[in-house]
PDB file of all heavy atoms in Angstrom:
ATOM      1  N   SER A 853      -8.442 -33.310 -62.695  1.00 94.00           N
ATOM      2  CA  SER A 853      -7.483 -33.955 -63.611  1.00 94.00           C
ATOM      3  C   SER A 853      -6.068 -33.291 -63.448  1.00 94.00           C
ATOM      4  O   SER A 853      -5.053 -33.992 -63.385  1.00 94.00           O
ATOM      5  CB  SER A 853      -7.911 -33.994 -64.986  1.00 94.00           C
ATOM      6  OG  SER A 853      -9.225 -34.782 -65.092  1.00 94.00           O
ATOM      7  N   LEU A 854      -6.147 -32.008 -63.612  1.00 94.00           N
ATOM      8  CA  LEU A 854      -4.882 -31.202 -63.490  1.00 94.00           C
ATOM      9  C   LEU A 854      -4.215 -31.394 -62.159  1.00 94.00           C
ATOM     10  O   LEU A 854      -2.990 -31.600 -62.007  1.00 94.00           O
ATOM     11  CB  LEU A 854      -5.243 -29.719 -63.629  1.00 94.00           C
ATOM     12  CG  LEU A 854      -4.100 -28.695 -63.481  1.00 94.00           C
ATOM     13  CD1 LEU A 854      -2.962 -29.073 -64.486  1.00 94.00           C
ATOM     14  CD2 LEU A 854      -4.643 -27.337 -63.664  1.00 94.00           C
ATOM     15  N   LEU A 855      -4.896 -31.315 -60.973  1.00 93.00           N
ATOM     16  CA  LEU A 855      -4.332 -31.466 -59.784  1.00 93.00           C
ATOM     17  C   LEU A 855      -3.767 -32.897 -59.533  1.00 93.00           C
ATOM     18  O   LEU A 855      -2.722 -33.195 -58.973  1.00 93.00           O
ATOM     19  CB  LEU A 855      -5.215 -31.129 -58.700  1.00 93.00           C
ATOM     20  CG  LEU A 855      -5.584 -29.638 -58.526  1.00 93.00           C
ATOM     21  CD1 LEU A 855      -6.702 -29.323 -57.493  1.00 93.00           C
ATOM     22  CD2 LEU A 855      -4.367 -28.821 -58.297  1.00 93.00           C
ATOM     23  N   ASN A 856      -4.505 -33.951 -60.058  1.00 91.00           N
ATOM     24  CA  ASN A 856      -4.009 -35.348 -59.915  1.00 91.00           C
ATOM     25  C   ASN A 856      -2.712 -35.514 -60.672  1.00 91.00           C
ATOM     26  O   ASN A 856      -1.673 -36.062 -60.277  1.00 91.00           O
ATOM     27  CB  ASN A 856      -4.996 -36.329 -60.479  1.00 91.00           C
ATOM     28  CG  ASN A 856      -6.242 -36.488 -59.484  1.00 91.00           C
ATOM     29  OD1 ASN A 856      -6.098 -36.400 -58.328  1.00 91.00           O
ATOM     30  ND2 ASN A 856      -7.340 -36.910 -60.037  1.00 91.00           N
ATOM     31  N   LEU A 857      -2.666 -34.887 -61.867  1.00 91.00           N
ATOM     32  CA  LEU A 857      -1.479 -34.957 -62.743  1.00 91.00           C
ATOM     33  C   LEU A 857      -0.335 -34.239 -62.059  1.00 91.00           C
ATOM     34  O   LEU A 857       0.939 -34.650 -61.934  1.00 91.00           O
ATOM     35  CB  LEU A 857      -1.734 -34.376 -64.054  1.00 91.00           C
ATOM     36  CG  LEU A 857      -0.566 -34.488 -65.192  1.00 91.00           C
ATOM     37  CD1 LEU A 857      -0.378 -35.826 -65.483  1.00 91.00           C
ATOM     38  CD2 LEU A 857      -1.214 -33.818 -66.398  1.00 91.00           C
ATOM     39  N   LEU A 858      -0.556 -33.089 -61.509  1.00 90.00           N
ATOM     40  CA  LEU A 858       0.451 -32.274 -60.824  1.00 90.00           C
ATOM     41  C   LEU A 858       1.125 -33.009 -59.660  1.00 90.00           C
ATOM     42  O   LEU A 858       2.208 -32.819 -59.315  1.00 90.00           O
ATOM     43  CB  LEU A 858      -0.193 -30.993 -60.300  1.00 90.00           C
ATOM     44  CG  LEU A 858       0.675 -29.804 -59.801  1.00 90.00           C
ATOM     45  CD1 LEU A 858       1.406 -29.331 -60.850  1.00 90.00           C
ATOM     46  CD2 LEU A 858      -0.198 -28.774 -59.278  1.00 90.00           C
ATOM     47  N   GLN A 859       0.244 -33.888 -58.932  1.00 87.00           N
ATOM     48  CA  GLN A 859       0.808 -34.530 -57.782  1.00 87.00           C
ATOM     49  C   GLN A 859       1.627 -35.700 -58.108  1.00 87.00           C
ATOM     50  O   GLN A 859       2.466 -36.144 -57.292  1.00 87.00           O
ATOM     51  CB  GLN A 859      -0.417 -35.140 -56.935  1.00 87.00           C
ATOM     52  CG  GLN A 859      -1.207 -34.136 -56.241  1.00 87.00           C
ATOM     53  CD  GLN A 859      -2.161 -34.789 -55.445  1.00 87.00           C
ATOM     54  OE1 GLN A 859      -2.052 -35.208 -54.386  1.00 87.00           O
ATOM     55  NE2 GLN A 859      -3.498 -34.751 -55.993  1.00 87.00           N
ATOM     56  N   SER A 860       1.520 -36.324 -59.375  1.00 82.00           N
ATOM     57  CA  SER A 860       2.149 -37.559 -59.584  1.00 82.00           C
ATOM     58  C   SER A 860       2.945 -37.563 -60.783  1.00 82.00           C
ATOM     59  O   SER A 860       3.792 -38.549 -61.009  1.00 82.00           O
ATOM     60  CB  SER A 860       1.130 -38.647 -59.631  1.00 82.00           C
ATOM     61  OG  SER A 860       0.177 -38.359 -60.698  1.00 82.00           O
ATOM     62  N   ASN A 861       2.884 -36.737 -61.800  1.00 78.00           N
ATOM     63  CA  ASN A 861       3.485 -37.009 -63.019  1.00 78.00           C
ATOM     64  C   ASN A 861       3.859 -35.675 -63.817  1.00 78.00           C
ATOM     65  O   ASN A 861       3.484 -35.472 -64.882  1.00 78.00           O
ATOM     66  CB  ASN A 861       2.571 -37.776 -63.879  1.00 78.00           C
ATOM     67  CG  ASN A 861       3.294 -38.399 -65.091  1.00 78.00           C
ATOM     68  OD1 ASN A 861       4.508 -38.639 -64.984  1.00 78.00           O
ATOM     69  ND2 ASN A 861       2.548 -38.739 -66.010  1.00 78.00           N
ATOM     70  N   ILE A 862       4.542 -34.696 -63.165  1.00 85.00           N
ATOM     71  CA  ILE A 862       5.101 -33.596 -63.835  1.00 85.00           C
ATOM     72  C   ILE A 862       6.212 -34.035 -64.729  1.00 85.00           C
ATOM     73  O   ILE A 862       7.189 -34.634 -64.217  1.00 85.00           O
ATOM     74  CB  ILE A 862       5.554 -32.556 -62.865  1.00 85.00           C
ATOM     75  CG1 ILE A 862       4.385 -31.963 -61.970  1.00 85.00           C
ATOM     76  CG2 ILE A 862       6.193 -31.349 -63.677  1.00 85.00           C
ATOM     77  CD1 ILE A 862       4.796 -30.979 -60.973  1.00 85.00           C
ATOM     78  N   PRO A 863       6.036 -33.834 -66.032  1.00 86.00           N
ATOM     79  CA  PRO A 863       7.041 -34.237 -66.988  1.00 86.00           C
ATOM     80  C   PRO A 863       8.392 -33.484 -66.809  1.00 86.00           C
ATOM     81  O   PRO A 863       8.477 -32.232 -66.401  1.00 86.00           O
ATOM     82  CB  PRO A 863       6.521 -33.983 -68.325  1.00 86.00           C
ATOM     83  CG  PRO A 863       5.161 -33.644 -68.060  1.00 86.00           C
ATOM     84  CD  PRO A 863       4.954 -33.198 -66.674  1.00 86.00           C
ATOM     85  N   ILE A 864       9.480 -34.202 -66.744  1.00 88.00           N
ATOM     86  CA  ILE A 864      10.918 -33.550 -66.784  1.00 88.00           C
ATOM     87  C   ILE A 864      11.316 -33.289 -68.095  1.00 88.00           C
ATOM     88  O   ILE A 864      11.702 -33.990 -68.955  1.00 88.00           O
ATOM     89  CB  ILE A 864      11.914 -34.520 -66.079  1.00 88.00           C
ATOM     90  CG1 ILE A 864      11.442 -34.837 -64.657  1.00 88.00           C
ATOM     91  CG2 ILE A 864      13.351 -33.786 -66.092  1.00 88.00           C
ATOM     92  CD1 ILE A 864      12.250 -35.791 -63.830  1.00 88.00           C
ATOM     93  N   CYS A 865      10.897 -31.927 -68.455  1.00 92.00           N
ATOM     94  CA  CYS A 865      11.346 -31.405 -69.834  1.00 92.00           C
ATOM     95  C   CYS A 865      11.321 -29.973 -69.778  1.00 92.00           C
ATOM     96  O   CYS A 865      11.089 -29.346 -68.803  1.00 92.00           O
ATOM     97  CB  CYS A 865      10.307 -31.930 -70.832  1.00 92.00           C
ATOM     98  SG  CYS A 865       8.630 -31.379 -70.516  1.00 92.00           S
ATOM     99  N   SER A 866      11.604 -29.397 -70.935  1.00 95.00           N
ATOM    100  CA  SER A 866      11.853 -27.827 -70.970  1.00 95.00           C
ATOM    101  C   SER A 866      10.489 -27.192 -70.786  1.00 95.00           C
ATOM    102  O   SER A 866      10.537 -25.871 -70.319  1.00 95.00           O
ATOM    103  CB  SER A 866      12.532 -27.468 -72.183  1.00 95.00           C
ATOM    104  OG  SER A 866      11.746 -27.857 -73.363  1.00 95.00           O
ATOM    105  N   HIS A 867       9.400 -27.761 -71.164  1.00 96.00           N
ATOM    106  CA  HIS A 867       8.064 -27.132 -70.902  1.00 96.00           C
ATOM    107  C   HIS A 867       7.120 -28.093 -70.413  1.00 96.00           C
ATOM    108  O   HIS A 867       6.237 -28.678 -71.076  1.00 96.00           O
ATOM    109  CB  HIS A 867       7.603 -26.686 -72.354  1.00 96.00           C
ATOM    110  CG  HIS A 867       8.395 -25.642 -72.931  1.00 96.00           C
ATOM    111  ND1 HIS A 867       8.327 -24.293 -72.639  1.00 96.00           N
ATOM    112  CD2 HIS A 867       9.344 -25.651 -73.957  1.00 96.00           C
ATOM    113  CE1 HIS A 867       9.155 -23.610 -73.348  1.00 96.00           C
ATOM    114  NE2 HIS A 867       9.885 -24.311 -74.056  1.00 96.00           N
TER     115      HIS A 867
END
Side-chain angles (χ1 to χ4, degrees):
S853 297
L854 174 59
L855 292 172
N856 285 336
L857 189 59
L858 189 65
Q859 291 181 79
S860 62
N861 197 21
I862 296 178
I864 299 175
C865 62
S866 60
H867 296 279

